[in-house]
Amino acid sequence: MGRDFTVSYTDNKTVGTGYVVITGAGDYSGSVERSFIIKQRNISDTEITVSDIFYNADNSLPKVGVSAEGKYFREGTDYTISFSENEDGTITVTVTGIGGLCGTTQKTYGVMKVPLSCVDIRYDSVVTYSGK
């Protein structure tokens, strides 16, 4: 490739119809254009990672990543996330494909207790006797 022809692509970044153009060089002349279909990827064909979920007072949510073949997809462009808290104390993460991804998948995780070694404990190291 490169010596006898060049290859270029158009409309090949989103779901729909993409095009490849092969243009002759060297001993070849002219060009040929062909179309191809870019289909949605089902969310079940991706890897979903969820950061550890620790109990916290501010109810911050875990980070969620969706990837396939080493490429990470973008929340809000390729998928949406919702969280639901279950009666047993677990959290269900629902990932729904949009744009180039389709389908929905759910994963349920337990909320881990925070080790005291990770907590900043503050106290007065000197106190005055109060009689109690």
Side-chain angles (χ1 to χ4, degrees), residues 41-68:
R41 178 186 295 265
N42 194 299
I43 199 85
S44 64
D45 295 332
T46 65
E47 181 179 344
I48 298 172
T49 56
V50 178
S51 64
D52 290 337
I53 304 172
F54 287 98
Y55 169 78
N56 60 63
D58 64 357
N59 291 324
S60 60
L61 298 170
K63 290 182 172 43
V64 176
V66 178
S67 65

Side-chain angles (χ1 to χ4, degrees), residues 41-105:
R41 178 186 295 265
N42 194 299
I43 199 85
S44 64
D45 295 332
T46 65
E47 181 179 344
I48 298 172
T49 56
V50 178
S51 64
D52 290 337
I53 304 172
F54 287 98
Y55 169 78
N56 60 63
D58 64 357
N59 291 324
S60 60
L61 298 170
K63 290 182 172 43
V64 176
V66 178
S67 65
E69 300 171 15
K71 176 194 180 287
Y72 277 87
F73 297 100
R74 292 175 300 204
E75 181 181 357
T77 300
D78 300 309
Y79 63 92
T80 61
I81 302 171
S82 63
F83 297 91
S84 58
E85 198 171 323
N86 306 312
E87 288 183 19
D88 64 358
T90 59
I91 292 178
T92 297
V93 179
T94 302
V95 182
T96 303
I98 58 175
L101 297 177
C102 64
T104 299
T105 190

